[in-house]
Amino acid sequence: MTKNLQDFLITKDTLVDISNIERKKFLQKIKIIKYLFLNGSTSNAEICSKFNISLPTSMALINQLMESGIVVKSGQGKSEGGRKPDLYGLKEHSFFVLSIHIKRFKIKIAITDNNHSIITEESIATEISPKSNIVDLLHEKAQEVIANSGIDADKLLGIGISMPGLVSTTEGKNYTYYLTEQEPESLQNKFEKKFKKPVVILNDTKSACLAEYRFGIAKDKENVLVISMDWGVGLGIIMGGKMHTGHSGFAGEFGHIPMTEDGLLCHCGKRGCLEMEASGLALVRKAKEGLKQGQTSVLNDLKGDNFKKMDPAIIIQAANKGDQFAINLLSEIGISLGKGIAILIQIFNPELIILEGEIAKAKQFITTPIQQSTNTYCMMQLKERTSIELSNLGSNSSLYGGTIAVMDDIFKNQMSMLKSES
């Protein structure tokens, strides 16, 4: 019996001694493991249907995975006229992934297990910049999290790191931040040398979109847009049932479409970007400007560092208490977002738009003005065919996305080796 999935996976060295027949069987096992990881416990009949294999063949593969200690029986499913079918799932804690979500002013580090439970999580207050030294910092903090978690480090399969900026997952580079960390070597390579594990880096919005695509309300849908509303504004695109990242991996820079003629200077170097009028940064800037001009609000109680470090969450809390100034600010942000979303609806004609991120926590204070604005600026024939909903994954969608990205990469590499050698 193998101790964990790490021991079960093949390498180029072990592949040499496996026959073509065994390779095909192993490929089927990898596909089953991936299916259970993404979909949870399932029946033998469902596996047969999914992979178009016979019941005896499927049962034999499941039994072998159970003997390897990767799969276990996990209860019974609903009866469809006969006896209840046995359900099979991945054994608890058979593998882990370290997931790191870098935000503009905070870093979240978490360990997730194969059943998508967060084993441990820690947040670090920090401010990123194009020249931030990130590799040593993350490695040091991650080692502390791993040590404190009590998990078997051998079961840690890899590290997924989601971050803001123009991120090329293929190249392993961020073209906005950590520029001194990746010249001439890629940021991903530096992380892999430090962690001695596979590392995947990806844009934070793409990570959230991946989580929605695999586990959220975008699952099994064909045409969905995921809009991340945090300090910045980002877009994840699902078309034809697949995620689209564009030629260079940069598709979805929704926050940098021009919305205001000769507007404020954006950090991207252009003026009038949507992000300057409809993001967490814009919300906090507008709040501070209004308070300095004498607006009445509970936010006036913020003094000194608390005023300086104001964030969107504080403004949303004020709105929930009925603060009219905060409500008006969120409405202003929502109207600008709705105008941009109207453009997206007319370009992509999606069936669903998912709103996620810190600003999405404002709920009706942000969704109502967005709906009103899209009604104003979008053709109704398209608007009425598009649902706009809040994410149900909570604040950890990018952490889940990082986990999925690592496992997708591992499964892809396993399948590629097995197919190329068969």
Side-chain angles (χ1 to χ4, degrees):
M1 177 182 289
T2 57
K3 292 170 59 179
N4 52 60
L5 185 61
Q6 179 69 64
D7 295 335
F8 179 81
L9 298 175
I10 58 156
T11 65
K12 288 183 179 180
D13 292 334
T14 58
L15 192 60
V16 175
D17 300 322
I18 303 175
S19 68
N20 283 338
I21 293 175
E22 287 302 314
R23 286 171 186 159
K24 289 177 180 178
K25 286 183 179 179
F26 201 92
L27 178 60
Q28 289 175 316
K29 291 177 187 177
I30 292 295
K31 288 179 178 179
I32 291 172
I33 292 170
K34 180 180 180 180
Y35 186 78
L36 294 177
F37 170 69
L38 293 174
N39 298 280
S41 297
T42 190
S43 67
N44 184 29
E46 288 178 34
I47 291 173
C48 293
S49 175
K50 174 66 180 177
F51 299 110
N52 194 28
I53 55 180
S54 68
L55 281 167
T57 298
S58 176
M59 197 67 247
L61 293 169
I62 290 171
N63 283 333
Q64 289 169 22
L65 287 169
M66 291 175 69
E67 290 171 6
S68 297
I70 306 297
V71 170
V72 294
K73 281 187 181 180
S74 55
Q76 293 184 314
K78 293 182 180 179
S79 172
E80 296 183 2
R83 53 176 266 179
K84 293 181 179 179
D86 289 327
L87 298 180
Y88 303 91
L90 296 178
K91 184 179 180 180
E92 186 179 19
H93 296 175
S94 57
F95 64 85
F96 301 93
V97 174
L98 181 72
S99 187
I100 301 172
H101 180 202
I102 303 173
K103 303 179 74 172
R104 202 176 295 259
F105 300 108
K106 183 169 68 173
I107 296 174
K108 295 172 74 173
I109 302 177
I111 296 174
T112 60
D113 70 2
N114 50 279
N115 291 322
H116 318 299
S117 297
I118 293 180
I119 304 303
T120 186
E121 179 184 338
E122 183 176 326
S123 292
I124 305 162
T126 186
E127 184 171 351
I128 63 173
S129 73
K131 295 183 178 181
S132 295
N133 181 343
I134 197 66
V135 175
D136 290 339
L137 171 66
L138 287 189
H139 182 259
E140 179 185 343
K141 295 298 182 183
Q143 293 308 307
E144 292 175 6
V145 172
I146 293 168
N148 293 335
S149 71
I151 71 162
D152 181 352
D154 290 339
K155 292 185 177 182
L156 194 66
L157 295 190
I159 296 91
I161 307 175
S162 60
M163 57 183 71
L166 290 173
V167 181
S168 171
T169 298
T170 304
E171 297 177 48
K173 292 184 176 182
N174 187 325
Y175 286 87
T176 307
Y177 298 105
Y178 317 122
L179 302 180
T180 58
E181 291 280 338
Q182 49 194 341
E183 294 176 357
E185 191 174 14
S186 76
L187 190 60
Q188 179 189 10
N189 284 344
K190 283 201 167 188
F191 275 123
E192 289 189 333
K193 284 184 177 179
K194 202 73 177 177
F195 281 98
K196 296 180 172 55
K197 298 276 186 181
V199 174
V200 177
I201 69 169
L202 67 166
N203 170 267
D204 50 2
T205 301
K206 304 294 190 304
S207 184
C209 184
L210 184 56
E212 296 290 348
Y213 174 57
R214 293 298 196 186
F215 299 139
I217 52 179
K219 187 177 175 67
D220 298 325
K221 296 195 182 306
E222 290 289 311
N223 298 287
V224 180
L225 301 178
V226 178
I227 298 176
S228 290
M229 307 182 301
D230 216 295
W231 285 104
V233 182
L235 172 68
I237 304 165
I238 300 168
M239 293 178 64
K242 295 181 180 179
M243 276 189 58
H244 284 259
T245 57
H247 173 64
S248 303
F250 304 150
E253 287 299 318
F254 178 47
H256 299 289
I257 61 173
M259 292 294 289
T260 307
E261 187 70 25
D262 196 29
L264 294 173
L265 179 65
C266 180
H267 61 86
C268 75
K270 307 297 182 183
R271 288 190 177 273
C273 291
L274 175 67
E275 195 161 291
M276 298 310 295
E277 297 299 326
S279 65
L281 285 172
L283 180 64
V284 170
R285 185 192 75 243
K286 290 172 184 285
K288 288 181 177 179
E289 289 173 352
L291 294 173
K292 287 177 180 178
Q293 291 168 7
Q295 288 283 350
T296 301
S297 170
V298 297
L299 296 171
N300 280 309
D301 294 337
L302 298 173
K303 306 295 182 184
D305 281 349
N306 288 332
F307 180 86
K308 185 179 178 181
K309 295 179 180 179
M310 185 189 303
D311 62 21
I314 292 173
I315 300 170
I316 292 169
Q317 288 172 12
N320 286 326
K321 293 176 181 177
D323 186 274
Q324 194 59 52
F325 174 62
I327 292 170
N328 290 344
L329 286 174
L330 287 165
S331 180
E332 189 178 333
I333 294 291
I335 289 169
S336 295
L337 272 170
K339 189 174 182 179
I341 290 170
I343 295 171
L344 295 179
I345 292 173
Q346 292 178 171
I347 294 173
F348 291 102
N349 186 208
E351 59 188 296
L352 172 65
I353 292 176
I354 301 172
L355 307 177
E356 76 92 38
E358 193 66 36
I359 306 297
K361 293 178 182 178
K363 297 183 180 178
Q364 75 274 10
F365 294 120
I366 197 72
T367 56
T368 298
I370 285 175
Q371 292 282 6
Q372 291 172 343
S373 187
T374 53
N375 287 340
T376 300
Y377 294 108
C378 187
M379 294 173 63
M380 289 310 295
Q381 295 94 328
L382 282 81
K383 169 64 177 65
E384 64 189 9
R385 294 167 186 257
T386 303
S387 298
I388 300 177
E389 300 181 29
L390 295 170
S391 171
N392 62 2
L393 293 181
S395 60
N396 288 326
S397 57
S398 287
L399 287 176
Y400 291 128
T403 300
I404 298 164
V406 169
M407 294 311 301
D408 275 352
D409 201 50
I410 288 172
F411 291 132
K412 179 182 177 182
N413 289 339
Q414 290 283 299
M415 292 177 188
S416 177
M417 280 194 292
L418 289 161
K419 288 177 180 177
S420 65
E421 296 291 339
S422 60

